[in-house]
Amino acid sequence: MENLIDSLKKIITPDAVSGISSELGEDIGKVTSAIRTAVSSLFGAVLEKGDDNKLENILKQAGNIPSLINVKGLFSGKMDSETQNISSGFLHTLFGDKLGNFSSLISSSSGLKNESTSKLMGVLSPLVAGFLGQKLISGGNFKGLLGQINSEKNGFLSSIPSGLAGILGVSSISNLGDSFFNKVTTQTKETAEKVKDKVEDTYHEYKDKMEKHSGGGWLKWLIIFLLAGILIIWLFSKNGCSKGKGTATPVNDSIQKVEPKKTGQDTLAETSTDNLDNTTDQKIKELLPITLPSGAVINAFPGGTEDKMVNFLKSDEYKNASNEDLKNKWFDFDGINFEFGSGTQLTPESETQAKNIGIILKEFPNVKIKIGAYTDKKGNDQDNLKLSQQRANTVRDIFVKNGYGDRVDGTEGYGSKFAKVDANASDKERAKDRRISLRFEK
């Protein structure tokens, strides 16, 4: 898994730093130093505030706003109120009434003017919040994210001014995060002791009963082994993500793609299938930043739907294509899925790909899309046709909700009309025919 700081460097490119330097009228070396110091300090402060539920909520909120990791957009000075609230909330949660001291610390360590530092922090704070928020949402849990930052701490500590320790109320910079991880370790040990005591009590209770009956010796040892196994499984499942000081608990920066569960009646894929390769093999794909022509950045699968769409829209193939040509160029969604057992209820994760595609449409203002939905051959043809139309409409509705309804030129459910796999084939084979797709129109 890529280092967090290295991932962020791909967003704060040299060109972006040069542009910020010009806008501020400051030496590029000072700006570079300030960015390095500020980002490292923000990471350290997040680590130290790991016990704050408000911080977790702010990061989750920031992670749902893709524009927060667009450096050029943030520095344009045209932040909306939501971005300003996240920026302010993030900084005040980390530094409280010491925020002014933190800003002065960045200025003094980098040589930037105070005014320039304030403007720079107005960009960096929502950027870092959005970046970490997206890692949190895609990876799963806050402790896991903190674990990864903690495991990478030695790599950015040298960029943090020693004065940050006093601002955050720790004895030294090297102790950032210790209070949180020591607490987690203590809680884990206490939980383990309680479970151990419970197992021992249970064992002695069974031992007393067994000793009242002859021939119970072998059963006694069987019970001991079973209880020990239960203890080990419980501890791993309950505390697997809670690591002590200096241990790595990396946030999982990927999405697990799972083979669809079998149901009595076929519909579209009930869980995420790999529509790109038309297979249901289990895969893990990593979400990575994809830069659009304007400089906006979205997080998506490399080689996935969004990536293919952007490359196609920039190509001569699209520029020279007629609407008749475009009718045969479909792109299968690989991140929009329906809840298991539900006909038309989208999973919460579907919102991410819908927003990404909306941002892509904004990049190409003359483009419209048509949405098509397909089922396999199993089940009643009329029911499948109706369901596919409902699902195509559901996907359209998510674009409407996000403000891109005028860019959807139509929907059509094709049912099993284009299905190729026999209805009696395995669920895995039939998954090739279950998909939702889009194509472009000029």
Side-chain angles (χ1 to χ4, degrees):
M1 183 181 298
E2 188 174 32
N3 181 286
L4 290 171
I5 294 288
D6 289 340
S7 295
L8 197 52
K9 284 179 181 178
K10 292 182 178 180
I11 300 172
I12 311 175
T13 62
D15 286 344
V17 176
S18 178
I20 292 173
S21 176
S22 297
E23 289 286 341
L24 292 176
E26 295 274 9
D27 177 74
I28 192 169
K30 293 180 179 180
V31 172
T32 302
S33 174
I35 291 174
R36 180 174 59 250
T37 301
V39 169
S40 298
S41 297
L42 289 172
F43 272 48
V46 167
L47 196 58
E48 181 59 26
K49 297 292 182 177
D51 237 357
D52 195 325
N53 291 331
K54 184 179 179 181
L55 175 59
E56 180 179 1
N57 292 334
I58 289 174
L59 292 183
K60 286 181 178 178
Q61 183 183 357
N64 284 312
I65 307 176
S67 61
L68 291 190
I69 56 173
N70 177 1
V71 179
K72 292 182 180 179
L74 290 172
F75 207 80
S76 67
K78 298 179 180 179
M79 287 190 198
D80 56 30
S81 59
E82 187 176 26
T83 301
Q84 291 175 349
N85 289 337
I86 286 176
S87 175
S88 175
F90 182 54
L91 289 175
H92 279 89
T93 300
L94 295 180
F95 304 110
D97 59 3
K98 300 289 183 65
L99 179 57
N101 295 351
F102 173 67
S103 183
S104 298
L105 181 65
I106 301 300
S107 294
S108 61
S109 62
S110 64
L112 285 188
K113 299 172 185 174
N114 290 333
E115 181 182 357
S116 298
T117 299
S118 296
K119 290 182 179 179
L120 183 62
M121 289 310 304
V123 175
L124 292 180
S125 58
L127 175 67
V128 172
F131 173 79
L132 292 178
Q134 290 192 6
K135 297 294 182 184
L136 173 58
I137 291 172
S138 65
N141 64 71
F142 193 38
K143 286 183 181 178
L145 177 61
L146 292 171
Q148 184 174 358
I149 296 174
N150 192 51
S151 70
E152 299 173 6
K153 185 169 69 170
N154 291 337
F156 60 78
L157 277 182
S158 60
S159 299
I160 300 178
S162 59
L164 185 67
I167 293 174
L168 295 176
V170 296
S171 57
S172 72
I173 293 301
S174 61
N175 292 331
L176 288 174
D178 285 2
S179 60
F180 171 73
F181 284 100
N182 287 339
K183 181 178 179 181
V184 170
T185 301
T186 301
Q187 290 174 339
T188 302
K189 288 180 178 178
E190 291 175 350
T191 301
E193 288 297 325
K194 290 179 181 179
V195 174
K196 177 185 174 183
D197 292 342
K198 181 64 176 178
V199 170
E200 289 180 347
D201 291 343
T202 304
Y203 160 65
H204 288 302
E205 180 182 343
Y206 272 86
K207 178 183 175 183
D208 292 341
K209 290 182 179 179
M210 290 299 102
E211 287 179 347
K212 293 179 180 179
H213 303 277
S214 61
W218 67 271
L219 186 57
K220 173 181 68 177
W221 289 108
L222 175 60
I223 292 171
I224 293 174
F225 284 120
L226 288 175
L227 291 175
I230 292 171
L231 171 62
I232 292 171
I233 293 171
W234 190 91
L235 286 175
F236 272 98
S237 64
K238 185 71 175 177
N239 298 300
C241 67
S242 301
K243 304 291 182 181
K245 174 183 176 183
T247 58
T249 313
V251 62
N252 179 14
D253 188 20
S254 61
I255 294 179
Q256 179 75 41
K257 299 202 138 192
V258 186
E259 181 174 314
K261 297 181 180 179
K262 296 180 180 179
T263 59
Q265 175 185 0
D266 173 66
T267 61
L268 298 180
E270 300 292 1
T271 57
S272 179
T273 59
D274 191 348
N275 290 321
L276 296 173
D277 301 321
N278 283 328
T279 177
T280 53
D281 291 340
Q282 292 187 0
K283 295 184 177 181
I284 295 178
K285 291 187 176 181
E286 187 177 4
L287 292 172
L288 294 175
I290 294 176
T291 303
L292 304 179
S294 70
V297 178
I298 59 175
N299 277 356
F301 299 136
T305 303
E306 295 96 318
D307 201 2
K308 286 186 175 182
M309 288 174 60
V310 172
N311 289 332
F312 178 67
L313 290 171
K314 292 192 299 184
S315 71
D316 290 335
E317 181 184 359
Y318 169 74
K319 293 174 184 176
N320 299 326
S322 65
N323 274 330
E324 193 65 29
D325 296 327
L326 293 173
K327 286 183 179 180
N328 299 314
K329 186 73 174 181
W330 289 86
F331 296 82
D332 293 337
F333 289 104
D334 57 3
I336 290 184
N337 307 288
F338 292 86
E339 296 283 6
F340 178 70
S342 166
T344 58
Q345 181 63 47
L346 286 165
T347 61
E349 295 79 12
S350 300
E351 185 81 20
T352 299
Q353 183 157 80
K355 285 183 177 180
N356 281 349
I357 293 175
I359 293 170
I360 293 171
L361 292 175
K362 189 175 181 180
E363 291 280 315
F364 301 90
N366 296 322
V367 173
K368 291 190 175 184
I369 61 172
K370 181 176 180 179
I371 298 169
Y374 309 80
T375 69
D376 61 26
K377 291 183 178 180
K378 190 171 183 179
N380 180 278
D381 288 344
Q382 286 301 116
D383 288 344
N384 282 340
L385 185 65
K386 180 180 178 181
L387 177 62
S388 64
Q389 184 62 57
Q390 289 174 336
R391 288 191 162 181
N393 292 342
T394 298
V395 174
R396 175 203 60 201
D397 291 344
I398 200 172
F399 284 101
V400 172
K401 185 182 77 172
N402 289 326
Y404 300 103
D406 60 329
R407 309 297 295 279
V408 181
D409 204 32
T411 64
E412 186 160 358
Y414 297 101
S416 59
K417 180 179 179 180
F418 297 102
K420 297 179 180 179
V421 181
D422 188 88
N424 295 319
S426 68
D427 187 79
K428 181 176 180 179
E429 292 175 300
R430 288 185 285 105
K432 299 174 183 178
D433 290 327
R434 303 194 298 256
R435 64 192 190 279
I436 297 183
S437 311
L438 67 80
R439 67 173 175 84
F440 296 115
E441 293 183 349
K442 292 184 175 180

